[in-house]
Amino acid sequence: MAIEESLPRGLKLHNLGGIEVVAGRYRDHVLPRHSHDGLMLSLLSDGVQALHCRGVTHFADAGKILAVPPHEVHAAEPGVEGGWYYHTITIPSDVLERHHPQGARFLCETAICDDEMKRALQTLFRSFNGAPVLQQEEALLDVLEHFLTRHTRLPQRASHKPIELRAVETCKAYLAAYLHRNVTLTELAQLARIDRFLLVRCFTAIVGIPPHAWHMQQRLHKSFEMLSKGQSVADVAAATGFADQAHLTRAFKRVTGITPGRLRKDHLAFQSQPATSRPRITWPLPGL
């Protein structure tokens, strides 16, 4: 396997509802605590990934699947020397809501050993190598049907107070609307009409990470979307509140393992390919 091919790469597939695909080897990179607005499914091809989720560390090696439901905070690091190699897909919550009675509200197994689902994921990832969109959609539905019917369960009813839930939703909406600004805790507390200390405590308890970390996460998510449409790194940095390109690059690589420039370059090459060959430049990476 060539070194360049093993570096993490990423794509956002807008014609499939904005699903995000990342693949490659993470040798010594530690992914910090974060969450996704969508279901993340990872198929390991080599090495071992240690995934920290809900206070438990799960280890997955070649052939295993790791699953994280929407908005579930998690972190990851190498489980052995040499790290891990995988293909992972994040399916947005609005896509899930069209195929699941509880929408994106479910719990799931984290470490899965399921040969049939493994084959379904392999078929899905391989379909990105130039298959017709209809075929890709069918492969995606096959993965969702298999996963949602076999590996999910309903969550327990939330025990948080209504005033806390409303405060958190109000703050999330405000933070999402002002990605380009350095929002202060005082602003949020005044907006939510709640004590600052209580706000941080209940936000962290409900969301899993404090307000500043969630704000940064949303800025990076928006950056991914803008880069996937070919916008310049400098413009993306300015639009999402980063001081400059270097600041965006450091934050983006820390969370994804990919540089913004690399992601943008791959998407520009992907978009320039004839439709019949998309995205032959990258997917699937070796080892699937």
Side-chain angles (χ1 to χ4, degrees):
M1 182 188 305
I3 293 177
E4 176 65 21
E5 290 179 325
S6 71
L7 295 175
R9 311 286 285 273
L11 284 177
K12 189 177 183 73
L13 303 176
H14 296 284
N15 60 346
L16 289 178
I19 65 174
E20 296 176 2
V21 188
V22 174
R25 182 178 295 280
Y26 289 75
R27 293 190 179 278
D28 54 11
H29 193 83
V30 176
L31 298 174
R33 285 169 52 81
H34 65 286
S35 63
H36 305 277
D37 181 22
L39 166 67
M40 187 188 75
L41 296 172
S42 303
L43 176 58
L44 278 288
S45 299
D46 185 47
V48 177
Q49 181 186 18
L51 181 75
H52 309 291
C53 187
R54 287 182 171 264
V56 178
T57 299
H58 304 268
F59 293 92
D61 56 10
K64 302 298 191 303
I65 298 165
L66 288 172
V68 180
H71 311 297
E72 188 71 62
V73 176
H74 58 285
E77 61 184 338
V80 295
E81 185 178 353
W84 76 92
Y85 189 98
Y86 72 176
H87 284 66
T88 184
I89 184 170
T90 301
I91 305 168
S93 294
D94 58 351
V95 175
L96 294 172
E97 288 168 357
R98 295 197 291 268
H99 303 289
H100 189 258
Q102 294 297 319
R105 298 174 294 281
F106 57 81
L107 298 177
C108 65
E109 299 174 44
T110 302
I112 298 172
C113 185
D114 182 332
D115 287 339
E116 188 175 342
M117 186 172 165
K118 172 186 172 182
R119 288 191 291 270
L121 277 170
Q122 289 173 327
T123 298
L124 175 60
F125 285 119
R126 287 170 180 153
S127 76
F128 299 147
N129 192 18
V133 173
L134 178 60
Q135 184 177 336
Q136 295 177 16
E137 292 175 327
E138 291 170 352
L140 176 60
L141 289 177
D142 189 35
V143 167
L144 283 175
E145 175 69 17
H146 190 100
F147 174 77
L148 293 171
T149 56
R150 298 192 186 188
H151 300 288
T152 63
R153 62 188 187 279
L154 296 180
Q156 295 180 343
R157 185 180 298 274
S159 59
H160 302 288
K161 297 177 181 178
I163 189 174
E164 295 176 343
L165 294 171
R166 286 195 298 270
V168 169
E169 290 306 310
T170 297
C171 290
K172 286 171 64 177
Y174 188 79
L175 290 170
Y178 292 99
L179 298 179
H180 60 288
R181 284 188 48 217
N182 287 318
V183 177
T184 68
L185 185 58
T186 298
E187 284 181 73
L188 293 179
Q190 291 176 345
L191 182 70
R193 299 181 181 180
I194 191 172
D195 177 78
R196 296 194 309 164
F197 297 102
L198 177 58
L199 173 59
V200 173
R201 285 199 301 271
C202 67
F203 193 104
T204 304
I206 293 170
V207 179
I209 50 178
H212 79 273
W214 191 86
H215 196 209
M216 173 62 77
Q217 183 174 283
Q218 299 309 303
R219 292 163 67 191
L220 292 173
H221 181 76
K222 182 64 175 181
S223 297
F224 196 122
E225 179 182 352
M226 295 176 69
L227 291 164
S228 75
K229 296 178 179 178
Q231 297 190 43
S232 73
V233 178
D235 287 346
V236 171
T240 52
F242 291 93
D244 50 31
Q245 290 182 231
H247 186 199
L248 170 61
T249 297
R250 287 193 300 272
F252 197 90
K253 186 173 182 181
R254 179 171 178 262
V255 172
T256 67
I258 308 168
T259 65
R262 174 79 268 176
L263 183 78
R264 178 177 181 270
K265 181 178 179 181
D266 278 352
H267 277 85
L268 288 175
F270 170 66
Q271 292 161 7
S272 68
Q273 296 281 330
T276 56
S277 64
R278 291 180 180 174
R280 197 172 300 279
I281 58 164
T282 306
W283 309 106
L285 291 182
L288 182 64

PDB file of all heavy atoms in Angstrom, residues 98-129:
ATOM      1  N   ARG A  98     -35.987   9.547   7.598  1.00  0.00           N
ATOM      2  CA  ARG A  98     -36.851   9.054   6.521  1.00  0.00           C
ATOM      3  C   ARG A  98     -36.955   7.528   6.523  1.00  0.00           C
ATOM      4  O   ARG A  98     -37.758   6.972   5.773  1.00  0.00           O
ATOM      5  CB  ARG A  98     -36.325   9.544   5.168  1.00  0.00           C
ATOM      6  CG  ARG A  98     -36.376  11.054   4.999  1.00  0.00           C
ATOM      7  CD  ARG A  98     -36.236  11.458   3.546  1.00  0.00           C
ATOM      8  NE  ARG A  98     -34.905  11.211   3.023  1.00  0.00           N
ATOM      9  CZ  ARG A  98     -33.918  12.115   3.037  1.00  0.00           C
ATOM     10  NH1 ARG A  98     -34.121  13.302   3.587  1.00  0.00           N
ATOM     11  NH2 ARG A  98     -32.737  11.830   2.524  1.00  0.00           N
ATOM     12  N   HIS A  99     -36.131   6.877   7.351  1.00  0.00           N
ATOM     13  CA  HIS A  99     -36.068   5.416   7.298  1.00  0.00           C
ATOM     14  C   HIS A  99     -36.237   4.729   8.649  1.00  0.00           C
ATOM     15  O   HIS A  99     -36.164   3.508   8.720  1.00  0.00           O
ATOM     16  CB  HIS A  99     -34.730   4.977   6.701  1.00  0.00           C
ATOM     17  CG  HIS A  99     -34.464   5.536   5.343  1.00  0.00           C
ATOM     18  ND1 HIS A  99     -35.140   5.122   4.219  1.00  0.00           N
ATOM     19  CD2 HIS A  99     -33.610   6.500   4.916  1.00  0.00           C
ATOM     20  CE1 HIS A  99     -34.715   5.797   3.170  1.00  0.00           C
ATOM     21  NE2 HIS A  99     -33.799   6.644   3.569  1.00  0.00           N
ATOM     22  N   HIS A 100     -36.477   5.498   9.711  1.00  0.00           N
ATOM     23  CA  HIS A 100     -36.549   4.899  11.038  1.00  0.00           C
ATOM     24  C   HIS A 100     -37.691   5.538  11.816  1.00  0.00           C
ATOM     25  O   HIS A 100     -37.814   6.767  11.834  1.00  0.00           O
ATOM     26  CB  HIS A 100     -35.219   5.114  11.775  1.00  0.00           C
ATOM     27  CG  HIS A 100     -35.108   4.351  13.054  1.00  0.00           C
ATOM     28  ND1 HIS A 100     -35.287   4.930  14.286  1.00  0.00           N
ATOM     29  CD2 HIS A 100     -34.841   3.044  13.293  1.00  0.00           C
ATOM     30  CE1 HIS A 100     -35.134   4.014  15.228  1.00  0.00           C
ATOM     31  NE2 HIS A 100     -34.864   2.872  14.661  1.00  0.00           N
ATOM     32  N   PRO A 101     -38.550   4.740  12.448  1.00  0.00           N
ATOM     33  CA  PRO A 101     -39.722   5.295  13.142  1.00  0.00           C
ATOM     34  C   PRO A 101     -39.370   6.272  14.252  1.00  0.00           C
ATOM     35  O   PRO A 101     -40.141   7.184  14.546  1.00  0.00           O
ATOM     36  CB  PRO A 101     -40.426   4.049  13.709  1.00  0.00           C
ATOM     37  CG  PRO A 101     -39.381   2.977  13.711  1.00  0.00           C
ATOM     38  CD  PRO A 101     -38.523   3.278  12.530  1.00  0.00           C
ATOM     39  N   GLN A 102     -38.203   6.108  14.863  1.00  0.00           N
ATOM     40  CA  GLN A 102     -37.767   7.023  15.915  1.00  0.00           C
ATOM     41  C   GLN A 102     -36.779   8.064  15.384  1.00  0.00           C
ATOM     42  O   GLN A 102     -36.122   8.755  16.157  1.00  0.00           O
ATOM     43  CB  GLN A 102     -37.120   6.236  17.054  1.00  0.00           C
ATOM     44  CG  GLN A 102     -38.084   5.332  17.797  1.00  0.00           C
ATOM     45  CD  GLN A 102     -39.185   6.112  18.485  1.00  0.00           C
ATOM     46  OE1 GLN A 102     -38.946   7.157  19.068  1.00  0.00           O
ATOM     47  NE2 GLN A 102     -40.416   5.602  18.399  1.00  0.00           N
ATOM     48  N   GLY A 103     -36.680   8.159  14.058  1.00  0.00           N
ATOM     49  CA  GLY A 103     -35.756   9.126  13.471  1.00  0.00           C
ATOM     50  C   GLY A 103     -34.336   8.842  13.891  1.00  0.00           C
ATOM     51  O   GLY A 103     -33.850   7.718  13.775  1.00  0.00           O
ATOM     52  N   ALA A 104     -33.670   9.872  14.402  1.00  0.00           N
ATOM     53  CA  ALA A 104     -32.279   9.724  14.824  1.00  0.00           C
ATOM     54  C   ALA A 104     -32.180   9.437  16.317  1.00  0.00           C
ATOM     55  O   ALA A 104     -31.085   9.476  16.880  1.00  0.00           O
ATOM     56  CB  ALA A 104     -31.505  10.998  14.485  1.00  0.00           C
ATOM     57  N   ARG A 105     -33.293   9.137  16.963  1.00  0.00           N
ATOM     58  CA  ARG A 105     -33.308   8.925  18.414  1.00  0.00           C
ATOM     59  C   ARG A 105     -33.273   7.434  18.721  1.00  0.00           C
ATOM     60  O   ARG A 105     -34.310   6.772  18.794  1.00  0.00           O
ATOM     61  CB  ARG A 105     -34.544   9.586  19.027  1.00  0.00           C
ATOM     62  CG  ARG A 105     -34.584  11.107  18.832  1.00  0.00           C
ATOM     63  CD  ARG A 105     -35.890  11.694  19.321  1.00  0.00           C
ATOM     64  NE  ARG A 105     -37.016  11.241  18.525  1.00  0.00           N
ATOM     65  CZ  ARG A 105     -37.339  11.736  17.326  1.00  0.00           C
ATOM     66  NH1 ARG A 105     -36.622  12.711  16.808  1.00  0.00           N
ATOM     67  NH2 ARG A 105     -38.379  11.274  16.664  1.00  0.00           N
ATOM     68  N   PHE A 106     -32.082   6.918  18.888  1.00  0.00           N
ATOM     69  CA  PHE A 106     -31.935   5.510  19.239  1.00  0.00           C
ATOM     70  C   PHE A 106     -30.565   5.280  19.868  1.00  0.00           C
ATOM     71  O   PHE A 106     -29.658   6.099  19.754  1.00  0.00           O
ATOM     72  CB  PHE A 106     -32.088   4.612  18.004  1.00  0.00           C
ATOM     73  CG  PHE A 106     -31.126   4.924  16.892  1.00  0.00           C
ATOM     74  CD1 PHE A 106     -29.806   4.461  16.905  1.00  0.00           C
ATOM     75  CD2 PHE A 106     -31.523   5.682  15.798  1.00  0.00           C
ATOM     76  CE1 PHE A 106     -28.922   4.747  15.879  1.00  0.00           C
ATOM     77  CE2 PHE A 106     -30.646   5.982  14.764  1.00  0.00           C
ATOM     78  CZ  PHE A 106     -29.339   5.513  14.808  1.00  0.00           C
ATOM     79  N   LEU A 107     -30.456   4.186  20.558  1.00  0.00           N
ATOM     80  CA  LEU A 107     -29.171   3.705  21.048  1.00  0.00           C
ATOM     81  C   LEU A 107     -28.784   2.502  20.202  1.00  0.00           C
ATOM     82  O   LEU A 107     -29.639   1.885  19.559  1.00  0.00           O
ATOM     83  CB  LEU A 107     -29.271   3.299  22.526  1.00  0.00           C
ATOM     84  CG  LEU A 107     -29.648   4.410  23.500  1.00  0.00           C
ATOM     85  CD1 LEU A 107     -29.780   3.849  24.908  1.00  0.00           C
ATOM     86  CD2 LEU A 107     -28.619   5.531  23.472  1.00  0.00           C
ATOM     87  N   CYS A 108     -27.518   2.165  20.198  1.00  0.00           N
ATOM     88  CA  CYS A 108     -27.090   1.044  19.373  1.00  0.00           C
ATOM     89  C   CYS A 108     -25.899   0.334  19.992  1.00  0.00           C
ATOM     90  O   CYS A 108     -25.229   0.871  20.881  1.00  0.00           O
ATOM     91  CB  CYS A 108     -26.750   1.516  17.957  1.00  0.00           C
ATOM     92  SG  CYS A 108     -25.323   2.627  17.858  1.00  0.00           S
ATOM     93  N   GLU A 109     -25.651  -0.863  19.503  1.00  0.00           N
ATOM     94  CA  GLU A 109     -24.427  -1.565  19.862  1.00  0.00           C
ATOM     95  C   GLU A 109     -23.249  -0.747  19.346  1.00  0.00           C
ATOM     96  O   GLU A 109     -23.342  -0.112  18.298  1.00  0.00           O
ATOM     97  CB  GLU A 109     -24.410  -2.953  19.239  1.00  0.00           C
ATOM     98  CG  GLU A 109     -25.550  -3.861  19.673  1.00  0.00           C
ATOM     99  CD  GLU A 109     -25.537  -5.162  18.902  1.00  0.00           C
ATOM    100  OE1 GLU A 109     -24.458  -5.756  18.732  1.00  0.00           O
ATOM    101  OE2 GLU A 109     -26.632  -5.581  18.454  1.00  0.00           O
ATOM    102  N   THR A 110     -22.148  -0.774  20.083  1.00  0.00           N
ATOM    103  CA  THR A 110     -20.982   0.008  19.667  1.00  0.00           C
ATOM    104  C   THR A 110     -20.019  -0.816  18.837  1.00  0.00           C
ATOM    105  O   THR A 110     -19.613  -0.410  17.751  1.00  0.00           O
ATOM    106  CB  THR A 110     -20.261   0.592  20.897  1.00  0.00           C
ATOM    107  OG1 THR A 110     -21.175   1.401  21.634  1.00  0.00           O
ATOM    108  CG2 THR A 110     -19.076   1.462  20.472  1.00  0.00           C
ATOM    109  N   ALA A 111     -19.626  -1.977  19.338  1.00  0.00           N
ATOM    110  CA  ALA A 111     -18.724  -2.871  18.609  1.00  0.00           C
ATOM    111  C   ALA A 111     -19.548  -4.027  18.061  1.00  0.00           C
ATOM    112  O   ALA A 111     -20.173  -4.776  18.818  1.00  0.00           O
ATOM    113  CB  ALA A 111     -17.612  -3.366  19.522  1.00  0.00           C
ATOM    114  N   ILE A 112     -19.578  -4.158  16.751  1.00  0.00           N
ATOM    115  CA  ILE A 112     -20.458  -5.126  16.093  1.00  0.00           C
ATOM    116  C   ILE A 112     -19.646  -6.129  15.289  1.00  0.00           C
ATOM    117  O   ILE A 112     -18.738  -5.762  14.532  1.00  0.00           O
ATOM    118  CB  ILE A 112     -21.441  -4.401  15.160  1.00  0.00           C
ATOM    119  CG1 ILE A 112     -22.332  -3.440  15.966  1.00  0.00           C
ATOM    120  CG2 ILE A 112     -22.288  -5.390  14.371  1.00  0.00           C
ATOM    121  CD1 ILE A 112     -23.189  -2.536  15.107  1.00  0.00           C
ATOM    122  N   CYS A 113     -19.980  -7.397  15.453  1.00  0.00           N
ATOM    123  CA  CYS A 113     -19.413  -8.466  14.630  1.00  0.00           C
ATOM    124  C   CYS A 113     -20.570  -9.090  13.864  1.00  0.00           C
ATOM    125  O   CYS A 113     -21.352  -9.851  14.425  1.00  0.00           O
ATOM    126  CB  CYS A 113     -18.696  -9.502  15.516  1.00  0.00           C
ATOM    127  SG  CYS A 113     -17.857 -10.786  14.568  1.00  0.00           S
ATOM    128  N   ASP A 114     -20.714  -8.738  12.600  1.00  0.00           N
ATOM    129  CA  ASP A 114     -21.871  -9.130  11.806  1.00  0.00           C
ATOM    130  C   ASP A 114     -21.408  -9.233  10.354  1.00  0.00           C
ATOM    131  O   ASP A 114     -21.245  -8.219   9.670  1.00  0.00           O
ATOM    132  CB  ASP A 114     -22.983  -8.083  11.969  1.00  0.00           C
ATOM    133  CG  ASP A 114     -24.258  -8.433  11.216  1.00  0.00           C
ATOM    134  OD1 ASP A 114     -24.182  -9.125  10.195  1.00  0.00           O
ATOM    135  OD2 ASP A 114     -25.340  -7.982  11.653  1.00  0.00           O
ATOM    136  N   ASP A 115     -21.201 -10.451   9.884  1.00  0.00           N
ATOM    137  CA  ASP A 115     -20.653 -10.652   8.539  1.00  0.00           C
ATOM    138  C   ASP A 115     -21.570 -10.116   7.446  1.00  0.00           C
ATOM    139  O   ASP A 115     -21.110  -9.582   6.433  1.00  0.00           O
ATOM    140  CB  ASP A 115     -20.380 -12.139   8.300  1.00  0.00           C
ATOM    141  CG  ASP A 115     -19.174 -12.644   9.080  1.00  0.00           C
ATOM    142  OD1 ASP A 115     -18.338 -11.807   9.471  1.00  0.00           O
ATOM    143  OD2 ASP A 115     -19.066 -13.866   9.296  1.00  0.00           O
ATOM    144  N   GLU A 116     -22.877 -10.253   7.655  1.00  0.00           N
ATOM    145  CA  GLU A 116     -23.813  -9.767   6.633  1.00  0.00           C
ATOM    146  C   GLU A 116     -23.764  -8.252   6.528  1.00  0.00           C
ATOM    147  O   GLU A 116     -23.771  -7.689   5.424  1.00  0.00           O
ATOM    148  CB  GLU A 116     -25.229 -10.238   6.960  1.00  0.00           C
ATOM    149  CG  GLU A 116     -26.227  -9.952   5.845  1.00  0.00           C
ATOM    150  CD  GLU A 116     -27.591 -10.536   6.124  1.00  0.00           C
ATOM    151  OE1 GLU A 116     -27.690 -11.427   6.992  1.00  0.00           O
ATOM    152  OE2 GLU A 116     -28.566 -10.092   5.480  1.00  0.00           O
ATOM    153  N   MET A 117     -23.686  -7.585   7.670  1.00  0.00           N
ATOM    154  CA  MET A 117     -23.601  -6.129   7.651  1.00  0.00           C
ATOM    155  C   MET A 117     -22.252  -5.678   7.100  1.00  0.00           C
ATOM    156  O   MET A 117     -22.168  -4.661   6.399  1.00  0.00           O
ATOM    157  CB  MET A 117     -23.820  -5.563   9.049  1.00  0.00           C
ATOM    158  CG  MET A 117     -23.873  -4.051   9.058  1.00  0.00           C
ATOM    159  SD  MET A 117     -24.342  -3.382  10.651  1.00  0.00           S
ATOM    160  CE  MET A 117     -23.858  -1.674  10.389  1.00  0.00           C
ATOM    161  N   LYS A 118     -21.213  -6.419   7.413  1.00  0.00           N
ATOM    162  CA  LYS A 118     -19.891  -6.109   6.859  1.00  0.00           C
ATOM    163  C   LYS A 118     -19.946  -6.133   5.339  1.00  0.00           C
ATOM    164  O   LYS A 118     -19.433  -5.226   4.675  1.00  0.00           O
ATOM    165  CB  LYS A 118     -18.866  -7.121   7.373  1.00  0.00           C
ATOM    166  CG  LYS A 118     -17.501  -7.011   6.720  1.00  0.00           C
ATOM    167  CD  LYS A 118     -16.584  -8.133   7.185  1.00  0.00           C
ATOM    168  CE  LYS A 118     -15.286  -8.151   6.395  1.00  0.00           C
ATOM    169  NZ  LYS A 118     -14.403  -9.283   6.819  1.00  0.00           N
ATOM    170  N   ARG A 119     -20.571  -7.150   4.781  1.00  0.00           N
ATOM    171  CA  ARG A 119     -20.668  -7.243   3.317  1.00  0.00           C
ATOM    172  C   ARG A 119     -21.506  -6.097   2.749  1.00  0.00           C
ATOM    173  O   ARG A 119     -21.202  -5.556   1.676  1.00  0.00           O
ATOM    174  CB  ARG A 119     -21.247  -8.594   2.919  1.00  0.00           C
ATOM    175  CG  ARG A 119     -20.294  -9.762   3.125  1.00  0.00           C
ATOM    176  CD  ARG A 119     -20.814 -11.028   2.485  1.00  0.00           C
ATOM    177  NE  ARG A 119     -21.994 -11.533   3.176  1.00  0.00           N
ATOM    178  CZ  ARG A 119     -21.954 -12.389   4.194  1.00  0.00           C
ATOM    179  NH1 ARG A 119     -20.782 -12.822   4.651  1.00  0.00           N
ATOM    180  NH2 ARG A 119     -23.067 -12.820   4.750  1.00  0.00           N
ATOM    181  N   ALA A 120     -22.570  -5.717   3.476  1.00  0.00           N
ATOM    182  CA  ALA A 120     -23.405  -4.606   3.015  1.00  0.00           C
ATOM    183  C   ALA A 120     -22.608  -3.303   2.999  1.00  0.00           C
ATOM    184  O   ALA A 120     -22.734  -2.497   2.061  1.00  0.00           O
ATOM    185  CB  ALA A 120     -24.629  -4.469   3.917  1.00  0.00           C
ATOM    186  N   LEU A 121     -21.787  -3.079   4.019  1.00  0.00           N
ATOM    187  CA  LEU A 121     -20.948  -1.877   4.057  1.00  0.00           C
ATOM    188  C   LEU A 121     -19.905  -1.901   2.946  1.00  0.00           C
ATOM    189  O   LEU A 121     -19.637  -0.877   2.306  1.00  0.00           O
ATOM    190  CB  LEU A 121     -20.259  -1.756   5.418  1.00  0.00           C
ATOM    191  CG  LEU A 121     -21.081  -1.112   6.536  1.00  0.00           C
ATOM    192  CD1 LEU A 121     -20.376  -1.284   7.874  1.00  0.00           C
ATOM    193  CD2 LEU A 121     -21.315   0.369   6.244  1.00  0.00           C
ATOM    194  N   GLN A 122     -19.299  -3.052   2.702  1.00  0.00           N
ATOM    195  CA  GLN A 122     -18.316  -3.161   1.624  1.00  0.00           C
ATOM    196  C   GLN A 122     -18.963  -2.838   0.282  1.00  0.00           C
ATOM    197  O   GLN A 122     -18.387  -2.123  -0.547  1.00  0.00           O
ATOM    198  CB  GLN A 122     -17.711  -4.567   1.610  1.00  0.00           C
ATOM    199  CG  GLN A 122     -16.774  -4.852   2.768  1.00  0.00           C
ATOM    200  CD  GLN A 122     -16.323  -6.300   2.805  1.00  0.00           C
ATOM    201  OE1 GLN A 122     -17.071  -7.213   2.433  1.00  0.00           O
ATOM    202  NE2 GLN A 122     -15.096  -6.526   3.250  1.00  0.00           N
ATOM    203  N   THR A 123     -20.164  -3.346   0.069  1.00  0.00           N
ATOM    204  CA  THR A 123     -20.882  -3.062  -1.170  1.00  0.00           C
ATOM    205  C   THR A 123     -21.160  -1.568  -1.307  1.00  0.00           C
ATOM    206  O   THR A 123     -21.009  -0.985  -2.388  1.00  0.00           O
ATOM    207  CB  THR A 123     -22.208  -3.850  -1.214  1.00  0.00           C
ATOM    208  OG1 THR A 123     -21.929  -5.252  -1.187  1.00  0.00           O
ATOM    209  CG2 THR A 123     -22.996  -3.515  -2.475  1.00  0.00           C
ATOM    210  N   LEU A 124     -21.553  -0.939  -0.199  1.00  0.00           N
ATOM    211  CA  LEU A 124     -21.837   0.497  -0.220  1.00  0.00           C
ATOM    212  C   LEU A 124     -20.582   1.286  -0.559  1.00  0.00           C
ATOM    213  O   LEU A 124     -20.613   2.154  -1.452  1.00  0.00           O
ATOM    214  CB  LEU A 124     -22.391   0.942   1.128  1.00  0.00           C
ATOM    215  CG  LEU A 124     -22.629   2.453   1.300  1.00  0.00           C
ATOM    216  CD1 LEU A 124     -23.628   2.963   0.270  1.00  0.00           C
ATOM    217  CD2 LEU A 124     -23.107   2.763   2.715  1.00  0.00           C
ATOM    218  N   PHE A 125     -19.479   1.032   0.126  1.00  0.00           N
ATOM    219  CA  PHE A 125     -18.248   1.777  -0.139  1.00  0.00           C
ATOM    220  C   PHE A 125     -17.772   1.557  -1.570  1.00  0.00           C
ATOM    221  O   PHE A 125     -17.323   2.501  -2.229  1.00  0.00           O
ATOM    222  CB  PHE A 125     -17.159   1.369   0.847  1.00  0.00           C
ATOM    223  CG  PHE A 125     -17.349   1.942   2.232  1.00  0.00           C
ATOM    224  CD1 PHE A 125     -17.511   1.115   3.331  1.00  0.00           C
ATOM    225  CD2 PHE A 125     -17.372   3.312   2.432  1.00  0.00           C
ATOM    226  CE1 PHE A 125     -17.685   1.644   4.602  1.00  0.00           C
ATOM    227  CE2 PHE A 125     -17.556   3.855   3.697  1.00  0.00           C
ATOM    228  CZ  PHE A 125     -17.714   3.016   4.783  1.00  0.00           C
ATOM    229  N   ARG A 126     -17.890   0.339  -2.072  1.00  0.00           N
ATOM    230  CA  ARG A 126     -17.447   0.068  -3.447  1.00  0.00           C
ATOM    231  C   ARG A 126     -18.349   0.728  -4.474  1.00  0.00           C
ATOM    232  O   ARG A 126     -17.912   1.054  -5.580  1.00  0.00           O
ATOM    233  CB  ARG A 126     -17.385  -1.446  -3.663  1.00  0.00           C
ATOM    234  CG  ARG A 126     -16.217  -2.100  -2.942  1.00  0.00           C
ATOM    235  CD  ARG A 126     -16.288  -3.601  -2.939  1.00  0.00           C
ATOM    236  NE  ARG A 126     -15.136  -4.173  -2.235  1.00  0.00           N
ATOM    237  CZ  ARG A 126     -15.117  -5.349  -1.627  1.00  0.00           C
ATOM    238  NH1 ARG A 126     -16.227  -6.091  -1.629  1.00  0.00           N
ATOM    239  NH2 ARG A 126     -14.042  -5.777  -1.016  1.00  0.00           N
ATOM    240  N   SER A 127     -19.616   0.966  -4.104  1.00  0.00           N
ATOM    241  CA  SER A 127     -20.529   1.617  -5.046  1.00  0.00           C
ATOM    242  C   SER A 127     -20.123   3.060  -5.321  1.00  0.00           C
ATOM    243  O   SER A 127     -20.497   3.633  -6.348  1.00  0.00           O
ATOM    244  CB  SER A 127     -21.972   1.579  -4.499  1.00  0.00           C
ATOM    245  OG  SER A 127     -22.165   2.531  -3.458  1.00  0.00           O
ATOM    246  N   PHE A 128     -19.339   3.652  -4.409  1.00  0.00           N
ATOM    247  CA  PHE A 128     -18.899   5.030  -4.617  1.00  0.00           C
ATOM    248  C   PHE A 128     -17.848   5.129  -5.715  1.00  0.00           C
ATOM    249  O   PHE A 128     -17.456   6.220  -6.104  1.00  0.00           O
ATOM    250  CB  PHE A 128     -18.339   5.609  -3.314  1.00  0.00           C
ATOM    251  CG  PHE A 128     -19.332   5.654  -2.189  1.00  0.00           C
ATOM    252  CD1 PHE A 128     -18.918   5.490  -0.882  1.00  0.00           C
ATOM    253  CD2 PHE A 128     -20.684   5.845  -2.436  1.00  0.00           C
ATOM    254  CE1 PHE A 128     -19.823   5.518   0.167  1.00  0.00           C
ATOM    255  CE2 PHE A 128     -21.602   5.874  -1.397  1.00  0.00           C
ATOM    256  CZ  PHE A 128     -21.165   5.711  -0.091  1.00  0.00           C
ATOM    257  N   ASN A 129     -17.386   3.999  -6.192  1.00  0.00           N
ATOM    258  CA  ASN A 129     -16.361   3.986  -7.235  1.00  0.00           C
ATOM    259  C   ASN A 129     -17.010   3.965  -8.617  1.00  0.00           C
ATOM    260  O   ASN A 129     -16.745   3.095  -9.442  1.00  0.00           O
ATOM    261  CB  ASN A 129     -15.446   2.774  -7.042  1.00  0.00           C
ATOM    262  CG  ASN A 129     -14.204   2.854  -7.910  1.00  0.00           C
ATOM    263  OD1 ASN A 129     -13.837   3.918  -8.399  1.00  0.00           O
ATOM    264  ND2 ASN A 129     -13.556   1.732  -8.119  1.00  0.00           N
TER     265      ASN A 129
END
